[in-house]
Amino acid sequence: MFNISYDFQIFTSQRYGGVSRYFYELCSRISSQSEGVISPSILAPLHVNQYIKQLAPHQLRAIGSVKPFRGSSRALKLINEGVSYVKNRVDLPDLIHETYYSRRTVSTQKLPNRKLTVYDMIHELFNQKFQSK
């Protein structure tokens, strides 16, 4: 079985939205159409997203959802980075798909023999156009 893990990034900042909906749909549809050959899951230990609550238990690796609060994106990001670092080392997914931009990515975790998708290089190509946070 080929295991795909989608990271937490977009699910900690979007309750609803196009990007989080896209990854939710991708995860649920791959699972339903792959006949057990591909096992996708979303690793979002703490999240604010409403879509992923609809996933089957084996597709959502989470502790639970929280209500958004001022600064919740930053706080959840720090917590989720730590938990994801450990979980990815234990579960060892075959493919890690990041869901949003980050200076510190799961690729910096140096997981042995793991693939990481890169779906948009706009921040790298035009770095001077984007302010760092």
Side-chain angles (χ1 to χ4, degrees):
M1 179 159 327
F2 189 81
N3 294 308
I4 301 173
S5 180
Y6 297 95
D7 78 359
F8 62 86
Q9 292 182 88
I10 197 62
F11 303 105
T12 60
S13 60
Q14 272 191 349
R15 291 184 72 203
Y16 298 96
V19 177
S20 63
R21 178 66 184 250
Y22 169 79
F23 285 111
Y24 158 74
E25 293 288 347
L26 193 59
C27 184
S28 63
R29 291 173 192 246
I30 287 174
S31 184
S32 68
Q33 308 233 340
S34 71
E35 298 176 1
V37 176
I38 302 172
S39 177
S41 63
I42 294 174
L43 176 56
L46 294 173
H47 58 86
V48 299
N49 193 266
Q50 298 300 303
Y51 298 126
I52 61 175
K53 291 179 179 182
Q54 300 170 40
L55 290 172
H58 68 278
Q59 292 177 294
L60 178 59
R61 298 181 301 155
I63 297 166
S65 64
V66 297
K67 290 186 178 186
F69 55 88
R70 186 177 174 101
S72 63
S73 289
R74 286 186 187 167
L76 295 177
K77 182 180 179 193
L78 290 172
I79 293 166
N80 286 336
E81 279 179 352
V83 173
S84 295
Y85 180 82
V86 172
K87 287 290 286 173
N88 281 330
R89 284 189 150 35
V90 171
D91 297 343
L92 288 175
D94 298 300
L95 176 72
I96 298 171
H97 191 105
E98 293 187 345
T99 59
Y100 207 67
Y101 306 104
S102 176
R103 288 201 179 273
R104 185 173 169 200
T105 66
V106 292
S107 63
T108 62
Q109 295 178 5
K110 297 182 176 80
L111 293 169
N113 302 318
R114 300 300 139 208
K115 293 177 176 69
L116 175 74
T117 58
V118 178
Y119 59 94
D120 190 345
M121 297 292 293
I122 196 75
H123 278 72
E124 286 73 20
L125 292 173
F126 302 102
N127 193 29
Q128 69 279 7
K129 302 284 184 186
F130 297 92
Q131 294 182 359
S132 59
K133 293 181 180 181

